Amino acid sequence: MPAVRTYLLKRSLSLVPTLVGVTILVFLMVRMIPGSIVEQMLGAEARATEETKAQMRAFFGLDQPLHIQYAHWAGGIVQGDLGKSWRLGLPVSQLLGNGLSVTLQLTLGALLIALIVGIPLGVLSAVKENTPLDHVARIASLFSLSIPIFWQAAMLILAFSMWFNWVPPVEYASPLKDPVANLKQMILPCIVLGTVVAAQVMRMTRSSLLEIMRQDYVRTARAKGLAERIVVSRHAFKNSLIPIITVIGVQVGYLLGGAVVTEEVFTLPGVGRLMLNAVYQRDYPLIQGAILFIAALFMLSNLLVDLCYAYLDPRIRYD
């Protein structure tokens, strides 16, 4: 246990420079977006004078040098303050907290579908290599990876909401107020995101398991007369998990990023949709806070993946 605590401390400290780099990169990239909130708010108000524009820029702090703006924002982060949304006038942390439940619900639901579908299908495909089942599974995974998320989402909405009327149209219901309606609402978005990740997990499970099943110790297990089911479950599958977990950890970041498109298509009030609207409105504090928040979640998932490595393979030490 002391080794685990030391490892956690070292890995947590190693995240600090990464987070600092993310804040600098995000801050500069947001400033590179054409236009600013001043132009967005004035819109077609062509009669606004330069004095009015200068006053608005000073109000939002945009008249200050970039390093001063960054120092002000970074200083707030150190104190746990992500600032206030320029458009909504609410703390960024509060807005992210409101959207977090939706985004996490979507991400975890999609990840659950990916694991339930992807891993068993990958195992079957490896065990039944070069059989019709293997070919069908590989074609299905390639098909899923080739179709854009927004197109899948549009087709599922058209089929299940418009034609068959099996699920309600795009209208979010809170799980605390109406769990059944919420479940119906979240099924399609989770399927859209989950199928893409399931295809990645299935392909990695298949290739990793096939490589392990060709190892000498697996042949030895078969030579002892063990049933194929025991050989696969006890000797091969566990040792094939490390690359699978790596893919799952990376796909968590994909799910958080893919949630932007999915939440927009299904009008879900999550962090992704909040960030997209902030980009449209040039709401710099909200954009920066949302991206930093997603980056932190992604780094946390990678930390969990590293811990799983050492648990699954004793050759990998925490120290």
Side-chain angles (χ1 to χ4, degrees):
M1 290 305 290
V4 177
R5 284 196 293 268
T6 304
Y7 179 79
L8 273 175
L9 181 61
K10 288 181 179 178
R11 285 286 284 114
S12 300
L13 291 176
S14 70
L15 297 180
V16 175
T18 307
L19 273 175
V20 173
V22 169
T23 60
I24 296 173
L25 189 62
V26 168
F27 179 85
L28 293 177
M29 291 186 69
V30 166
R31 263 62 181 179
M32 293 172 67
I33 300 175
S36 68
I37 190 170
V38 176
E39 284 80 11
Q40 290 293 317
M41 293 185 73
L42 291 175
E45 188 62 39
R47 289 179 297 178
T49 64
E50 290 300 324
E51 182 181 1
T52 302
K53 293 180 180 178
Q55 289 176 348
M56 292 183 67
R57 291 181 62 81
F59 177 79
F60 292 113
L62 296 175
D63 59 334
Q64 298 177 358
L66 285 180
H67 67 278
I68 299 295
Q69 295 182 42
Y70 173 78
H72 180 72
W73 179 54
I77 294 174
V78 173
Q79 300 174 20
D81 181 13
L82 294 174
K84 282 189 176 181
S85 166
W86 287 347
R87 277 285 188 177
L88 303 175
L90 296 173
V92 171
S93 56
Q94 179 183 338
L95 294 170
L96 293 178
N98 294 338
L100 179 62
S101 59
V102 179
T103 300
L104 282 184
Q105 191 179 1
L106 177 61
T107 301
L108 294 178
L111 189 61
L112 185 64
I113 290 175
L115 296 180
I116 291 175
V117 175
I119 291 180
L121 198 59
V123 172
L124 282 176
S125 184
V127 173
K128 305 291 183 182
E129 184 184 11
N130 293 327
T131 62
L133 188 149
D134 180 31
H135 296 317
V136 170
R138 292 165 63 187
I139 292 173
S141 66
L142 188 61
F143 184 73
S144 178
L145 290 172
S146 305
I147 300 177
I149 287 180
F150 67 86
W151 192 86
Q152 289 188 50
M155 291 300 102
L156 287 177
I157 292 174
L158 184 65
F160 292 100
S161 293
M162 305 299 292
W163 292 347
F164 303 118
N165 199 27
W166 287 351
V167 296
V170 284
E171 182 181 359
Y172 181 72
S174 170
L176 299 178
K177 296 181 179 178
D178 194 342
V180 176
N182 174 266
L183 184 61
K184 290 180 179 178
Q185 174 67 44
M186 297 301 292
I187 284 177
L188 293 185
C190 290
I191 289 176
V192 169
L193 269 182
T195 50
V196 178
V197 180
Q200 295 277 7
V201 173
M202 175 266 162
R203 293 169 70 87
M204 179 53 70
T205 302
R206 179 184 182 276
S207 62
S208 178
L209 190 57
L210 280 177
E211 182 180 349
I212 294 296
M213 289 174 67
R214 295 187 178 109
Q215 299 292 321
D216 291 338
Y217 70 90
V218 176
R219 294 194 189 97
T220 303
R222 285 175 175 150
K224 290 180 179 177
L226 295 177
E228 185 67 15
R229 176 177 57 82
I230 296 177
V231 173
V232 173
S233 61
R234 293 186 183 177
H235 295 273
F237 181 66
K238 183 179 179 181
N239 292 325
S240 68
L241 278 177
I242 287 184
I244 298 171
I245 289 176
T246 303
V247 168
I248 292 172
V250 172
Q251 292 303 313
V252 169
Y254 167 81
L255 288 173
L256 292 170
V260 176
V261 178
T262 309
E263 288 174 1
E264 180 65 16
V265 173
F266 288 94
T267 64
L268 298 175
V271 175
R273 191 167 183 233
L274 187 69
M275 182 174 64
L276 192 61
N277 290 331
V279 172
Y280 291 148
Q281 299 169 345
R282 306 299 189 270
D283 192 341
Y284 293 169
L286 190 51
I287 301 172
Q288 294 165 177
I291 296 178
L292 185 63
F293 181 72
I294 292 175
L297 287 180
F298 186 60
M299 285 187 278
L300 181 62
S301 72
N302 281 332
L303 176 61
L304 294 176
V305 167
D306 288 346
L307 291 175
C308 290
Y309 285 168
Y311 173 75
L312 291 171
D313 191 345
R315 294 171 298 179
I316 302 175
R317 301 298 180 190
Y318 288 114
D319 53 355

